[in-house]
Amino acid sequence: SSELTQDPAVSVALGQTVRITCQGDSLRSYYASWYQQKPGQAPVLVIYGKNNRPSGIPDRFSGSSSGNTASLTITGAQAEDEADYYCNSRDSSGNHVVVFGGGTKLTVL
Amino acid sequence: QVQLVQSGAEVKKPGASVKVSCKASGYTFTSYGISWVRQAPGQGLEWMGWISAYNGNTNYAQKLQGRVTMTTDTSTSTAYMELRSLRSDDTAVYYCARDQGTNGVCDYWGQGTLVTVSS
């Protein structure tokens, strides 16, 4: 399969923990990367590989994977975390292509 | 610091071609690939393809095969994406991004280039 499925919208109370998920067959073979995108801005890489954060990404962001599902967890969500989140991974079809999930709109209440 | 600076907005008529540039600085250009990703208005991210800045190898999204060409100029550390036979549904913001490998791990992004296709 060449699809990654994300919930369209998720909400979290300020300071609480939220998990954003990404499902797809390719995730059985490849790690997902996660991107945060705020309105009018380019995406920002927040998690890649098993659970790696680029420099400058707060440690409240973490990643995990099990079977065909990858998860991005924000522990203690802040108002500035309100954004669209996208996962991507290499496609498992053997064609060396990459696929993005449809994105999840995170609202911090 | 790593920077990717893209060319400016374009307005094209259906059937025309567009070529977007992406000038890299702050790192060894040939040590990474460049991915191109587009985003139609109000829509999600769509991976278009990847090019190795080391040897020019490319991988393209199947839906764009035959219409897209990605190239690099190592002398100027610039990547290019050309899209031909433009249609209205190609209207989008086009991003280049530094790719750590072939798995779509894009750690630095350009500012985006708006391409509008309209008659």
PDB file of all heavy atoms in Angstrom, chain A residues 11-46:
ATOM      1  N   SER A  11      -7.780  17.309  19.385  1.00  0.00           N
ATOM      2  CA  SER A  11      -7.666  18.437  20.308  1.00  0.00           C
ATOM      3  C   SER A  11      -7.085  17.971  21.636  1.00  0.00           C
ATOM      4  O   SER A  11      -7.169  16.785  21.989  1.00  0.00           O
ATOM      5  CB  SER A  11      -9.028  19.098  20.525  1.00  0.00           C
ATOM      6  OG  SER A  11      -9.926  18.182  21.109  1.00  0.00           O
ATOM      7  N   VAL A  12      -6.475  18.897  22.352  1.00  0.00           N
ATOM      8  CA  VAL A  12      -5.849  18.593  23.637  1.00  0.00           C
ATOM      9  C   VAL A  12      -5.955  19.823  24.532  1.00  0.00           C
ATOM     10  O   VAL A  12      -5.870  20.961  24.058  1.00  0.00           O
ATOM     11  CB  VAL A  12      -4.378  18.181  23.439  1.00  0.00           C
ATOM     12  CG1 VAL A  12      -3.570  19.298  22.809  1.00  0.00           C
ATOM     13  CG2 VAL A  12      -3.748  17.733  24.751  1.00  0.00           C
ATOM     14  N   ALA A  13      -6.177  19.577  25.813  1.00  0.00           N
ATOM     15  CA  ALA A  13      -6.190  20.688  26.765  1.00  0.00           C
ATOM     16  C   ALA A  13      -4.762  21.157  27.027  1.00  0.00           C
ATOM     17  O   ALA A  13      -3.822  20.356  27.018  1.00  0.00           O
ATOM     18  CB  ALA A  13      -6.853  20.262  28.069  1.00  0.00           C
ATOM     19  N   LEU A  14      -4.613  22.419  27.240  1.00  0.00           N
ATOM     20  CA  LEU A  14      -3.301  22.988  27.525  1.00  0.00           C
ATOM     21  C   LEU A  14      -2.612  22.226  28.666  1.00  0.00           C
ATOM     22  O   LEU A  14      -3.212  21.997  29.716  1.00  0.00           O
ATOM     23  CB  LEU A  14      -3.453  24.465  27.903  1.00  0.00           C
ATOM     24  CG  LEU A  14      -2.164  25.257  28.134  1.00  0.00           C
ATOM     25  CD1 LEU A  14      -1.401  25.417  26.824  1.00  0.00           C
ATOM     26  CD2 LEU A  14      -2.489  26.634  28.732  1.00  0.00           C
ATOM     27  N   GLY A  15      -1.376  21.800  28.416  1.00  0.00           N
ATOM     28  CA  GLY A  15      -0.605  21.107  29.433  1.00  0.00           C
ATOM     29  C   GLY A  15      -0.817  19.601  29.477  1.00  0.00           C
ATOM     30  O   GLY A  15      -0.084  18.901  30.197  1.00  0.00           O
ATOM     31  N   GLN A  16      -1.778  19.110  28.741  1.00  0.00           N
ATOM     32  CA  GLN A  16      -2.031  17.678  28.722  1.00  0.00           C
ATOM     33  C   GLN A  16      -1.235  16.997  27.617  1.00  0.00           C
ATOM     34  O   GLN A  16      -0.537  17.639  26.831  1.00  0.00           O
ATOM     35  CB  GLN A  16      -3.531  17.415  28.552  1.00  0.00           C
ATOM     36  CG  GLN A  16      -4.371  17.916  29.729  1.00  0.00           C
ATOM     37  CD  GLN A  16      -3.907  17.338  31.044  1.00  0.00           C
ATOM     38  OE1 GLN A  16      -3.917  16.126  31.254  1.00  0.00           O
ATOM     39  NE2 GLN A  16      -3.484  18.215  31.960  1.00  0.00           N
ATOM     40  N   THR A  17      -1.349  15.677  27.574  1.00  0.00           N
ATOM     41  CA  THR A  17      -0.614  14.863  26.604  1.00  0.00           C
ATOM     42  C   THR A  17      -1.524  14.445  25.461  1.00  0.00           C
ATOM     43  O   THR A  17      -2.686  14.086  25.693  1.00  0.00           O
ATOM     44  CB  THR A  17      -0.037  13.618  27.300  1.00  0.00           C
ATOM     45  OG1 THR A  17       0.923  14.047  28.276  1.00  0.00           O
ATOM     46  CG2 THR A  17       0.643  12.695  26.300  1.00  0.00           C
ATOM     47  N   VAL A  18      -0.992  14.499  24.260  1.00  0.00           N
ATOM     48  CA  VAL A  18      -1.763  14.109  23.084  1.00  0.00           C
ATOM     49  C   VAL A  18      -0.904  13.206  22.200  1.00  0.00           C
ATOM     50  O   VAL A  18       0.301  13.370  22.108  1.00  0.00           O
ATOM     51  CB  VAL A  18      -2.218  15.355  22.284  1.00  0.00           C
ATOM     52  CG1 VAL A  18      -1.050  16.157  21.758  1.00  0.00           C
ATOM     53  CG2 VAL A  18      -3.160  14.963  21.146  1.00  0.00           C
ATOM     54  N   ARG A  19      -1.588  12.228  21.596  1.00  0.00           N
ATOM     55  CA  ARG A  19      -0.927  11.325  20.662  1.00  0.00           C
ATOM     56  C   ARG A  19      -1.577  11.479  19.300  1.00  0.00           C
ATOM     57  O   ARG A  19      -2.805  11.368  19.179  1.00  0.00           O
ATOM     58  CB  ARG A  19      -1.017   9.883  21.130  1.00  0.00           C
ATOM     59  CG  ARG A  19      -0.410   8.873  20.166  1.00  0.00           C
ATOM     60  CD  ARG A  19      -0.433   7.480  20.741  1.00  0.00           C
ATOM     61  NE  ARG A  19       0.482   7.374  21.888  1.00  0.00           N
ATOM     62  CZ  ARG A  19       0.681   6.244  22.571  1.00  0.00           C
ATOM     63  NH1 ARG A  19       0.020   5.148  22.229  1.00  0.00           N
ATOM     64  NH2 ARG A  19       1.514   6.222  23.585  1.00  0.00           N
ATOM     65  N   ILE A  20      -0.761  11.681  18.294  1.00  0.00           N
ATOM     66  CA  ILE A  20      -1.207  11.778  16.905  1.00  0.00           C
ATOM     67  C   ILE A  20      -0.687  10.541  16.184  1.00  0.00           C
ATOM     68  O   ILE A  20       0.511  10.231  16.265  1.00  0.00           O
ATOM     69  CB  ILE A  20      -0.675  13.068  16.252  1.00  0.00           C
ATOM     70  CG1 ILE A  20      -1.222  14.292  16.990  1.00  0.00           C
ATOM     71  CG2 ILE A  20      -1.063  13.118  14.781  1.00  0.00           C
ATOM     72  CD1 ILE A  20      -0.556  15.599  16.575  1.00  0.00           C
ATOM     73  N   THR A  21      -1.574   9.836  15.490  1.00  0.00           N
ATOM     74  CA  THR A  21      -1.178   8.576  14.890  1.00  0.00           C
ATOM     75  C   THR A  21      -1.158   8.626  13.371  1.00  0.00           C
ATOM     76  O   THR A  21      -1.813   9.472  12.740  1.00  0.00           O
ATOM     77  CB  THR A  21      -2.084   7.428  15.332  1.00  0.00           C
ATOM     78  OG1 THR A  21      -3.425   7.698  14.921  1.00  0.00           O
ATOM     79  CG2 THR A  21      -2.026   7.237  16.841  1.00  0.00           C
ATOM     80  N   CYS A  22      -0.433   7.663  12.804  1.00  0.00           N
ATOM     81  CA  CYS A  22      -0.229   7.549  11.362  1.00  0.00           C
ATOM     82  C   CYS A  22      -0.190   6.059  11.052  1.00  0.00           C
ATOM     83  O   CYS A  22       0.629   5.338  11.637  1.00  0.00           O
ATOM     84  CB  CYS A  22       1.080   8.238  11.009  1.00  0.00           C
ATOM     85  SG  CYS A  22       1.651   8.084   9.306  1.00  0.00           S
ATOM     86  N   GLN A  23      -1.088   5.606  10.195  1.00  0.00           N
ATOM     87  CA  GLN A  23      -1.179   4.182   9.897  1.00  0.00           C
ATOM     88  C   GLN A  23      -0.876   3.907   8.433  1.00  0.00           C
ATOM     89  O   GLN A  23      -1.325   4.649   7.540  1.00  0.00           O
ATOM     90  CB  GLN A  23      -2.580   3.659  10.218  1.00  0.00           C
ATOM     91  CG  GLN A  23      -2.893   3.562  11.690  1.00  0.00           C
ATOM     92  CD  GLN A  23      -4.221   2.859  11.928  1.00  0.00           C
ATOM     93  OE1 GLN A  23      -5.266   3.314  11.465  1.00  0.00           O
ATOM     94  NE2 GLN A  23      -4.177   1.746  12.640  1.00  0.00           N
ATOM     95  N   GLY A  24      -0.135   2.819   8.195  1.00  0.00           N
ATOM     96  CA  GLY A  24       0.123   2.414   6.822  1.00  0.00           C
ATOM     97  C   GLY A  24       1.031   1.203   6.782  1.00  0.00           C
ATOM     98  O   GLY A  24       1.851   0.993   7.684  1.00  0.00           O
ATOM     99  N   ASP A  25       0.883   0.419   5.716  1.00  0.00           N
ATOM    100  CA  ASP A  25       1.678  -0.806   5.595  1.00  0.00           C
ATOM    101  C   ASP A  25       3.176  -0.517   5.554  1.00  0.00           C
ATOM    102  O   ASP A  25       3.984  -1.313   6.041  1.00  0.00           O
ATOM    103  CB  ASP A  25       1.261  -1.557   4.328  1.00  0.00           C
ATOM    104  CG  ASP A  25      -0.099  -2.222   4.475  1.00  0.00           C
ATOM    105  OD1 ASP A  25      -0.583  -2.338   5.622  1.00  0.00           O
ATOM    106  OD2 ASP A  25      -0.673  -2.609   3.444  1.00  0.00           O
ATOM    107  N   SER A  26       3.548   0.612   4.957  1.00  0.00           N
ATOM    108  CA  SER A  26       4.976   0.918   4.822  1.00  0.00           C
ATOM    109  C   SER A  26       5.650   1.092   6.179  1.00  0.00           C
ATOM    110  O   SER A  26       6.869   0.929   6.296  1.00  0.00           O
ATOM    111  CB  SER A  26       5.167   2.183   3.981  1.00  0.00           C
ATOM    112  OG  SER A  26       4.598   3.316   4.621  1.00  0.00           O
ATOM    113  N   LEU A  27       4.855   1.393   7.210  1.00  0.00           N
ATOM    114  CA  LEU A  27       5.428   1.632   8.538  1.00  0.00           C
ATOM    115  C   LEU A  27       5.891   0.337   9.204  1.00  0.00           C
ATOM    116  O   LEU A  27       6.543   0.378  10.244  1.00  0.00           O
ATOM    117  CB  LEU A  27       4.419   2.366   9.418  1.00  0.00           C
ATOM    118  CG  LEU A  27       3.984   3.727   8.865  1.00  0.00           C
ATOM    119  CD1 LEU A  27       2.947   4.368   9.784  1.00  0.00           C
ATOM    120  CD2 LEU A  27       5.176   4.640   8.673  1.00  0.00           C
ATOM    121  N   ARG A  28       5.544  -0.790   8.615  1.00  0.00           N
ATOM    122  CA  ARG A  28       6.078  -2.066   9.115  1.00  0.00           C
ATOM    123  C   ARG A  28       7.549  -2.214   8.723  1.00  0.00           C
ATOM    124  O   ARG A  28       8.282  -3.010   9.319  1.00  0.00           O
ATOM    125  CB  ARG A  28       5.273  -3.245   8.548  1.00  0.00           C
ATOM    126  CG  ARG A  28       3.818  -3.243   8.965  1.00  0.00           C
ATOM    127  CD  ARG A  28       3.091  -4.489   8.444  1.00  0.00           C
ATOM    128  NE  ARG A  28       1.663  -4.446   8.751  1.00  0.00           N
ATOM    129  CZ  ARG A  28       1.148  -4.794   9.931  1.00  0.00           C
ATOM    130  NH1 ARG A  28       1.929  -5.213  10.897  1.00  0.00           N
ATOM    131  NH2 ARG A  28      -0.164  -4.734  10.112  1.00  0.00           N
ATOM    132  N   SER A  29       7.962  -1.465   7.701  1.00  0.00           N
ATOM    133  CA  SER A  29       9.330  -1.585   7.183  1.00  0.00           C
ATOM    134  C   SER A  29      10.169  -0.338   7.396  1.00  0.00           C
ATOM    135  O   SER A  29      11.397  -0.417   7.455  1.00  0.00           O
ATOM    136  CB  SER A  29       9.286  -1.891   5.678  1.00  0.00           C
ATOM    137  OG  SER A  29       8.516  -3.043   5.403  1.00  0.00           O
ATOM    138  N   TYR A  30       9.523   0.824   7.443  1.00  0.00           N
ATOM    139  CA  TYR A  30      10.241   2.091   7.521  1.00  0.00           C
ATOM    140  C   TYR A  30       9.702   2.956   8.648  1.00  0.00           C
ATOM    141  O   TYR A  30       8.511   2.949   8.942  1.00  0.00           O
ATOM    142  CB  TYR A  30      10.105   2.856   6.195  1.00  0.00           C
ATOM    143  CG  TYR A  30      10.661   2.107   5.006  1.00  0.00           C
ATOM    144  CD1 TYR A  30       9.818   1.443   4.122  1.00  0.00           C
ATOM    145  CD2 TYR A  30      12.031   2.055   4.771  1.00  0.00           C
ATOM    146  CE1 TYR A  30      10.330   0.746   3.045  1.00  0.00           C
ATOM    147  CE2 TYR A  30      12.550   1.357   3.694  1.00  0.00           C
ATOM    148  CZ  TYR A  30      11.690   0.703   2.840  1.00  0.00           C
ATOM    149  OH  TYR A  30      12.201   0.013   1.765  1.00  0.00           O
ATOM    150  N   TYR A  31      10.595   3.721   9.250  1.00  0.00           N
ATOM    151  CA  TYR A  31      10.182   4.680  10.262  1.00  0.00           C
ATOM    152  C   TYR A  31       9.451   5.852   9.607  1.00  0.00           C
ATOM    153  O   TYR A  31       9.715   6.212   8.470  1.00  0.00           O
ATOM    154  CB  TYR A  31      11.388   5.226  11.023  1.00  0.00           C
ATOM    155  CG  TYR A  31      12.027   4.249  11.964  1.00  0.00           C
ATOM    156  CD1 TYR A  31      13.331   3.805  11.759  1.00  0.00           C
ATOM    157  CD2 TYR A  31      11.326   3.758  13.068  1.00  0.00           C
ATOM    158  CE1 TYR A  31      13.924   2.904  12.626  1.00  0.00           C
ATOM    159  CE2 TYR A  31      11.911   2.848  13.935  1.00  0.00           C
ATOM    160  CZ  TYR A  31      13.217   2.428  13.707  1.00  0.00           C
ATOM    161  OH  TYR A  31      13.803   1.544  14.565  1.00  0.00           O
ATOM    162  N   ALA A  32       8.544   6.436  10.368  1.00  0.00           N
ATOM    163  CA  ALA A  32       7.904   7.673   9.940  1.00  0.00           C
ATOM    164  C   ALA A  32       8.732   8.867  10.382  1.00  0.00           C
ATOM    165  O   ALA A  32       9.455   8.809  11.383  1.00  0.00           O
ATOM    166  CB  ALA A  32       6.503   7.779  10.535  1.00  0.00           C
ATOM    167  N   SER A  33       8.628   9.936   9.608  1.00  0.00           N
ATOM    168  CA  SER A  33       9.091  11.252  10.052  1.00  0.00           C
ATOM    169  C   SER A  33       7.848  12.090  10.299  1.00  0.00           C
ATOM    170  O   SER A  33       6.801  11.869   9.685  1.00  0.00           O
ATOM    171  CB  SER A  33       9.964  11.919   8.977  1.00  0.00           C
ATOM    172  OG  SER A  33      11.095  11.137   8.691  1.00  0.00           O
ATOM    173  N   TRP A  34       7.982  13.059  11.191  1.00  0.00           N
ATOM    174  CA  TRP A  34       6.856  13.920  11.550  1.00  0.00           C
ATOM    175  C   TRP A  34       7.225  15.383  11.333  1.00  0.00           C
ATOM    176  O   TRP A  34       8.336  15.814  11.671  1.00  0.00           O
ATOM    177  CB  TRP A  34       6.467  13.710  13.017  1.00  0.00           C
ATOM    178  CG  TRP A  34       5.843  12.388  13.291  1.00  0.00           C
ATOM    179  CD1 TRP A  34       6.464  11.240  13.700  1.00  0.00           C
ATOM    180  CD2 TRP A  34       4.446  12.066  13.189  1.00  0.00           C
ATOM    181  NE1 TRP A  34       5.547  10.226  13.853  1.00  0.00           N
ATOM    182  CE2 TRP A  34       4.299  10.709  13.549  1.00  0.00           C
ATOM    183  CE3 TRP A  34       3.308  12.793  12.836  1.00  0.00           C
ATOM    184  CZ2 TRP A  34       3.059  10.069  13.573  1.00  0.00           C
ATOM    185  CZ3 TRP A  34       2.080  12.157  12.856  1.00  0.00           C
ATOM    186  CH2 TRP A  34       1.968  10.809  13.215  1.00  0.00           C
ATOM    187  N   TYR A  35       6.267  16.127  10.792  1.00  0.00           N
ATOM    188  CA  TYR A  35       6.467  17.532  10.475  1.00  0.00           C
ATOM    189  C   TYR A  35       5.350  18.358  11.088  1.00  0.00           C
ATOM    190  O   TYR A  35       4.188  17.954  11.079  1.00  0.00           O
ATOM    191  CB  TYR A  35       6.475  17.747   8.950  1.00  0.00           C
ATOM    192  CG  TYR A  35       7.548  16.946   8.264  1.00  0.00           C
ATOM    193  CD1 TYR A  35       7.319  15.628   7.895  1.00  0.00           C
ATOM    194  CD2 TYR A  35       8.815  17.491   8.029  1.00  0.00           C
ATOM    195  CE1 TYR A  35       8.316  14.868   7.315  1.00  0.00           C
ATOM    196  CE2 TYR A  35       9.813  16.736   7.438  1.00  0.00           C
ATOM    197  CZ  TYR A  35       9.557  15.429   7.086  1.00  0.00           C
ATOM    198  OH  TYR A  35      10.563  14.675   6.512  1.00  0.00           O
ATOM    199  N   GLN A  36       5.734  19.522  11.592  1.00  0.00           N
ATOM    200  CA  GLN A  36       4.784  20.498  12.108  1.00  0.00           C
ATOM    201  C   GLN A  36       4.694  21.650  11.108  1.00  0.00           C
ATOM    202  O   GLN A  36       5.718  22.148  10.645  1.00  0.00           O
ATOM    203  CB  GLN A  36       5.292  21.042  13.451  1.00  0.00           C
ATOM    204  CG  GLN A  36       4.443  22.143  14.057  1.00  0.00           C
ATOM    205  CD  GLN A  36       5.174  22.825  15.206  1.00  0.00           C
ATOM    206  OE1 GLN A  36       6.132  23.563  15.004  1.00  0.00           O
ATOM    207  NE2 GLN A  36       4.719  22.577  16.432  1.00  0.00           N
ATOM    208  N   GLN A  37       3.482  22.050  10.774  1.00  0.00           N
ATOM    209  CA  GLN A  37       3.307  23.177   9.872  1.00  0.00           C
ATOM    210  C   GLN A  37       2.290  24.150  10.437  1.00  0.00           C
ATOM    211  O   GLN A  37       1.151  23.778  10.690  1.00  0.00           O
ATOM    212  CB  GLN A  37       2.873  22.722   8.478  1.00  0.00           C
ATOM    213  CG  GLN A  37       2.853  23.876   7.469  1.00  0.00           C
ATOM    214  CD  GLN A  37       2.399  23.451   6.087  1.00  0.00           C
ATOM    215  OE1 GLN A  37       1.545  22.588   5.936  1.00  0.00           O
ATOM    216  NE2 GLN A  37       2.979  24.067   5.060  1.00  0.00           N
ATOM    217  N   LYS A  38       2.714  25.383  10.605  1.00  0.00           N
ATOM    218  CA  LYS A  38       1.825  26.455  11.039  1.00  0.00           C
ATOM    219  C   LYS A  38       1.378  27.258   9.825  1.00  0.00           C
ATOM    220  O   LYS A  38       2.070  27.240   8.793  1.00  0.00           O
ATOM    221  CB  LYS A  38       2.525  27.320  12.078  1.00  0.00           C
ATOM    222  CG  LYS A  38       2.874  26.535  13.343  1.00  0.00           C
ATOM    223  CD  LYS A  38       3.561  27.382  14.395  1.00  0.00           C
ATOM    224  CE  LYS A  38       3.860  26.522  15.629  1.00  0.00           C
ATOM    225  NZ  LYS A  38       4.552  27.287  16.691  1.00  0.00           N
ATOM    226  N   PRO A  39       0.241  27.938   9.919  1.00  0.00           N
ATOM    227  CA  PRO A  39      -0.310  28.648   8.752  1.00  0.00           C
ATOM    228  C   PRO A  39       0.696  29.597   8.107  1.00  0.00           C
ATOM    229  O   PRO A  39       1.354  30.381   8.784  1.00  0.00           O
ATOM    230  CB  PRO A  39      -1.502  29.405   9.343  1.00  0.00           C
ATOM    231  CG  PRO A  39      -1.928  28.574  10.504  1.00  0.00           C
ATOM    232  CD  PRO A  39      -0.652  28.028  11.092  1.00  0.00           C
ATOM    233  N   GLY A  40       0.815  29.474   6.796  1.00  0.00           N
ATOM    234  CA  GLY A  40       1.682  30.359   6.038  1.00  0.00           C
ATOM    235  C   GLY A  40       3.164  30.076   6.166  1.00  0.00           C
ATOM    236  O   GLY A  40       3.981  30.853   5.663  1.00  0.00           O
ATOM    237  N   GLN A  41       3.508  28.962   6.819  1.00  0.00           N
ATOM    238  CA  GLN A  41       4.920  28.638   7.016  1.00  0.00           C
ATOM    239  C   GLN A  41       5.276  27.306   6.376  1.00  0.00           C
ATOM    240  O   GLN A  41       4.407  26.475   6.113  1.00  0.00           O
ATOM    241  CB  GLN A  41       5.253  28.587   8.513  1.00  0.00           C
ATOM    242  CG  GLN A  41       5.051  29.907   9.237  1.00  0.00           C
ATOM    243  CD  GLN A  41       5.453  29.834  10.689  1.00  0.00           C
ATOM    244  OE1 GLN A  41       6.191  28.925  11.112  1.00  0.00           O
ATOM    245  NE2 GLN A  41       4.995  30.788  11.477  1.00  0.00           N
ATOM    246  N   ALA A  42       6.562  27.121   6.132  1.00  0.00           N
ATOM    247  CA  ALA A  42       7.044  25.836   5.641  1.00  0.00           C
ATOM    248  C   ALA A  42       6.988  24.810   6.765  1.00  0.00           C
ATOM    249  O   ALA A  42       7.053  25.159   7.953  1.00  0.00           O
ATOM    250  CB  ALA A  42       8.475  25.977   5.124  1.00  0.00           C
ATOM    251  N   PRO A  43       6.883  23.548   6.415  1.00  0.00           N
ATOM    252  CA  PRO A  43       6.919  22.498   7.446  1.00  0.00           C
ATOM    253  C   PRO A  43       8.253  22.496   8.187  1.00  0.00           C
ATOM    254  O   PRO A  43       9.279  22.922   7.662  1.00  0.00           O
ATOM    255  CB  PRO A  43       6.731  21.212   6.632  1.00  0.00           C
ATOM    256  CG  PRO A  43       6.066  21.641   5.375  1.00  0.00           C
ATOM    257  CD  PRO A  43       6.623  22.997   5.081  1.00  0.00           C
ATOM    258  N   VAL A  44       8.200  21.980   9.408  1.00  0.00           N
ATOM    259  CA  VAL A  44       9.385  21.822  10.250  1.00  0.00           C
ATOM    260  C   VAL A  44       9.458  20.376  10.700  1.00  0.00           C
ATOM    261  O   VAL A  44       8.471  19.825  11.212  1.00  0.00           O
ATOM    262  CB  VAL A  44       9.318  22.758  11.485  1.00  0.00           C
ATOM    263  CG1 VAL A  44      10.462  22.461  12.449  1.00  0.00           C
ATOM    264  CG2 VAL A  44       9.322  24.218  11.057  1.00  0.00           C
ATOM    265  N   LEU A  45      10.616  19.753  10.524  1.00  0.00           N
ATOM    266  CA  LEU A  45      10.822  18.374  10.977  1.00  0.00           C
ATOM    267  C   LEU A  45      10.871  18.360  12.499  1.00  0.00           C
ATOM    268  O   LEU A  45      11.674  19.095  13.100  1.00  0.00           O
ATOM    269  CB  LEU A  45      12.120  17.830  10.388  1.00  0.00           C
ATOM    270  CG  LEU A  45      12.533  16.421  10.786  1.00  0.00           C
ATOM    271  CD1 LEU A  45      11.561  15.383  10.204  1.00  0.00           C
ATOM    272  CD2 LEU A  45      13.962  16.128  10.316  1.00  0.00           C
ATOM    273  N   VAL A  46      10.061  17.516  13.135  1.00  0.00           N
ATOM    274  CA  VAL A  46      10.074  17.440  14.607  1.00  0.00           C
ATOM    275  C   VAL A  46      10.548  16.089  15.130  1.00  0.00           C
ATOM    276  O   VAL A  46      11.112  16.015  16.219  1.00  0.00           O
ATOM    277  CB  VAL A  46       8.698  17.794  15.219  1.00  0.00           C
ATOM    278  CG1 VAL A  46       8.359  19.264  14.949  1.00  0.00           C
ATOM    279  CG2 VAL A  46       7.591  16.887  14.731  1.00  0.00           C
TER     280      VAL A  46
END
